Amino acid sequence: MTAFVRNQWYVAAYGREIGRELFARTILGESLVFYRTTSGRVVALADRCVHRRYPLSESRLEGDTIVCGYHGFTYDQGGTCVFVPGQARIPRTARVASYPVVEQDSFVWVWIGDHDRADPSSIPRAPWLDDPAYTSVSGMEPLAARYQLLVDNLMDLSHETYLHGGYIGTPEVANTPITTEVDEDRGIVYVSRHMADAECPLFYAESTGIEGRITRWQDIEYHPPCLYLLHSRIAPVGVLPNADGSDPDGFHVEIVYAITPETENSTHDFWAVARDFALGDQEVSDFLAENNRTVVMQDVVALNLLEKVIATEPEGYQELSINIDTGGLAARRILTRMAEAGAAPARPSEAVPS
Ligand code: FES
Ligand SMILES: [Fe+2]
């Protein structure tokens, strides 16, 4: 199994999830506590008091510091202890790890690996999620399965026909061949499936108002490990973009997933759907949010089952791959390469009682 890719940015939360309450979330096996300072900046610290391991997320904020709920050790936003009870001298090792954080495109991104390598300009973008030209719905579902299973799932959309029939799946998805391209230098996998004349699933019929058959394009862009984009274009059959690239008669939906490992066998499955039509229409938003969540939960149920199967299978079991798996296999190859390249980075300095 591919190890965690530590030296990369991961989505830890939506910006809206983090405020002046302490917020706990485990990322890549590390328990973190998040909060917003009085000036609005998001802070991420190790969620374990250096004294007797009490979770800082179960403690309280005092201004921009956390006061441990057990004996009162107090930490500033850099994780340095600024107060211990009963003595004036604060031990030099009294600090918890802090983690680089960037807020962008409605997400809070965190860097778990070697801090020297945390370059905010390398965070992949999902600009639609806070662009006023789009209306978005989003959520996060906990997945009791390893993140690699979600990558496989998203890279091969032929499963829509079977697992999501009646929602987003129609026969044409599984029947239309894909094209796969890999940008080896940038480590991005592209998978496209263009359906010229397809049944319109309820998801798009209801939201766009198109009646009859559609031209349906699915263009996947996976930025391993965390960000997956599905550029979805829907139009009445035969309606194509103009030669200059403008596309006034097409409907565009940007489907964004952030795939963040929680532990080796569980994943935070962030999903968002941004559209460039029916802007601000609450009924359409409610419909898309409910339908997309249903679809995500169909995947969650299936992937949770797969995780259980993997846990009980004999060593050395071999899968069988076919054409539809080309994108997923390319993704696995890049993830393996990234994990090897970032092997055994230094952990953030952290004093742990022995
Ligand atoms: S465990 Fe936090 S102060 Fe004792
Ligand atoms: Fe799915």
Side-chain angles (χ1 to χ4, degrees):
M1 187 176 75
T2 313
F4 288 148
V5 180
R6 290 175 59 85
N7 283 312
Q8 292 289 330
W9 292 97
Y10 287 92
V11 169
Y14 292 103
R16 63 175 184 257
E17 292 183 280
I18 298 178
R20 295 288 294 159
E21 300 283 316
L22 293 165
F23 176 88
R25 188 157 278 164
T26 296
I27 313 280
L28 269 60
E30 304 215 5
S31 303
L32 307 186
V33 58
F34 296 86
Y35 65 95
R36 230 173 248 286
T37 63
T38 45
S39 65
R41 193 174 72 84
V42 175
V43 170
L45 301 176
D47 189 17
R48 182 176 52 195
C49 180
V50 74
H51 179 225
R52 289 292 180 267
R53 299 184 178 83
Y54 195 77
L56 296 181
S57 56
E58 298 294 324
S59 304
R60 72 182 164 84
L61 269 181
E62 196 173 273
D64 288 343
T65 62
I66 299 183
V67 180
C68 178
Y70 198 177
H71 316 92
F73 273 48
T74 301
Y75 300 91
D76 70 12
Q77 45 190 289
T80 301
C81 186
V82 293
F83 172 82
V84 297
Q87 63 183 60
R89 195 187 70 81
I90 298 173
R92 192 179 48 81
T93 54
R95 59 197 161 85
V96 295
S98 73
Y99 297 81
V101 168
V102 171
E103 249 188 305
Q104 187 167 279
D105 302 329
S106 85
F107 289 131
V108 173
W109 293 83
V110 70
W111 180 276
I112 300 293
D114 179 356
H115 289 197
D116 297 346
R117 295 171 65 180
D119 173 8
S121 71
S122 70
I123 300 175
R125 301 301 305 262
W128 316 279
L129 301 187
D130 62 7
D131 181 341
Y134 288 77
T135 298
S136 299
V137 292
S138 57
M140 192 280 274
E141 312 306 328
L143 180 64
R146 63 197 66 192
Y147 79 94
Q148 296 94 335
L149 291 174
L150 182 55
V151 175
D152 268 0
N153 170 276
L154 291 170
M155 294 308 288
D156 167 27
L157 296 182
S158 63
H159 79 270
E160 289 183 349
T161 303
Y162 298 93
L163 194 57
H164 308 304
Y167 289 88
I168 51 172
T170 68
E172 296 81 8
V173 182
N175 290 341
T176 307
I178 52 168
T179 58
T180 304
E181 278 176 48
V182 182
D183 182 333
E184 296 286 351
D185 293 339
R186 297 173 64 215
I188 302 171
V189 184
Y190 299 91
V191 179
S192 292
R193 176 180 272 120
H194 286 193
M195 295 160 265
D197 181 353
E199 190 183 310
C200 188
L202 191 67
F203 189 82
Y204 290 121
E206 285 280 321
S207 58
T208 65
I210 296 180
E211 291 173 5
R213 294 177 69 83
I214 54 170
T215 294
R216 181 179 184 189
W217 292 357
Q218 294 176 321
D219 292 288
I220 294 170
E221 191 182 328
Y222 175 45
H223 298 250
C226 191
L227 194 70
Y228 169 97
L229 310 173
L230 167 59
H231 310 293
S232 177
R233 176 186 184 273
I234 301 98
V237 170
V239 174
L240 297 175
N242 297 324
D244 66 0
S246 61
D247 191 15
D249 300 320
F251 295 80
H252 304 92
V253 181
E254 301 291 345
I255 297 163
V256 178
Y257 281 83
I259 304 163
T260 303
E262 178 187 42
T263 66
E264 281 192 3
N265 303 97
S266 60
T267 305
H268 305 296
D269 182 353
F270 293 91
W271 58 267
V273 178
R275 65 182 191 270
D276 71 350
F277 54 90
L279 298 181
D281 184 326
Q282 194 57 43
E283 226 170 286
V284 172
S285 291
D286 292 345
F287 172 81
L288 287 177
E290 191 192 321
N291 264 261
N292 205 67
R293 183 166 185 279
T294 302
V295 166
V296 169
M297 289 311 295
Q298 289 169 337
D299 285 322
V300 165
V301 168
L303 300 182
N304 289 358
L305 271 176
L306 290 188
E307 183 64 40
K308 285 192 180 146
V309 172
I310 292 171
T312 57
E313 79 189 2
E315 194 70 25
Y317 176 81
Q318 288 292 323
E319 295 174 323
L320 173 69
S321 297
I322 60 170
N323 287 346
I324 57 171
D325 302 307
T326 316
L329 293 175
R332 286 186 194 180
R333 187 166 48 75
I334 291 178
L335 287 167
T336 302
R337 192 175 75 198
M338 291 175 117
E340 286 168 358
R347 280 169 66 89
S349 61
E350 182 181 351
V352 179
S354 54

